[in-house]
Amino acid sequence: MDNGTEFCSKALDHWAYSRRVGLDFIRPGKPVENRYIESFNGRLRDEFLNTELFFSVGEAQTKLEEWQGGYNFVRPQGALANLPPAEFARRAAKPEKRTEPRGLPAGDF
C-alpha cells in the first residue's frame, strides 16, 4: 500500500496487528513500485475520502459500498477499453466467437 495518511495510522496498525494482517508499504516516493494500487488509492482518496463525511463506521461502510459499486460496475476505465471492471472481466472470461475457419487468417479462404 502507499504511504498516504489514511493508510499510515496507529489505528490501522493496531487493527492489522490484532487480526494478524501484515502491512507492506511501498517505499516513500516510489509510486511505480505498484502503480495500479497507487492509482486506485489516489482515486479513492480524491473521489471518496476527501468528499465524504462519516459519522459512524456503519455509515462509512455503506457509503464505501455505494462508491465501490459505481467504480466496479458503472464507471468506464480507460485502461480497460473504456469498460467498467466487472464488464471487462466478464468479457475476458467469455471465449470470443470466431467468424473465420480455424487455421486460416481472415481473407485467405
Side-chain angles (χ1 to χ4, degrees):
M1 68 179 65
D2 74 5
N3 293 281
T5 55
E6 69 277 16
F7 300 115
C8 296
S9 69
K10 289 181 181 181
L12 177 64
D13 188 48
H14 175 71
W15 176 89
Y17 178 79
S18 68
R19 288 163 178 79
R20 297 183 177 172
V21 173
L23 300 177
D24 189 13
F25 293 94
I26 62 172
R27 293 178 293 163
K30 302 289 183 185
V32 295
E33 287 186 358
N34 193 342
R35 66 183 180 265
Y36 299 110
I37 194 64
E38 189 71 13
S39 175
F40 173 78
N41 287 346
R43 282 194 175 81
L44 178 67
R45 189 179 300 114
D46 292 343
E47 298 172 11
F48 180 69
L49 296 174
N50 290 345
T51 62
E52 297 289 340
L53 183 60
F54 313 110
F55 295 102
S56 69
V57 172
E59 182 182 11
Q61 289 172 329
T62 300
K63 287 182 176 183
L64 180 59
E65 287 172 4
E66 291 172 7
W67 182 85
Q68 184 181 19
Y71 187 88
N72 287 328
F73 295 98
V74 177
R75 177 187 174 159
Q77 308 285 322
L80 302 176
N82 287 318
L83 297 170
E87 177 64 17
F88 182 83
R90 186 188 69 76
R91 290 184 186 187
K94 189 176 174 182
E96 289 193 30
K97 294 180 181 178
R98 296 180 63 91
T99 55
E100 67 273 355
R102 289 198 177 272
L104 294 175
D108 287 351
F109 56 94

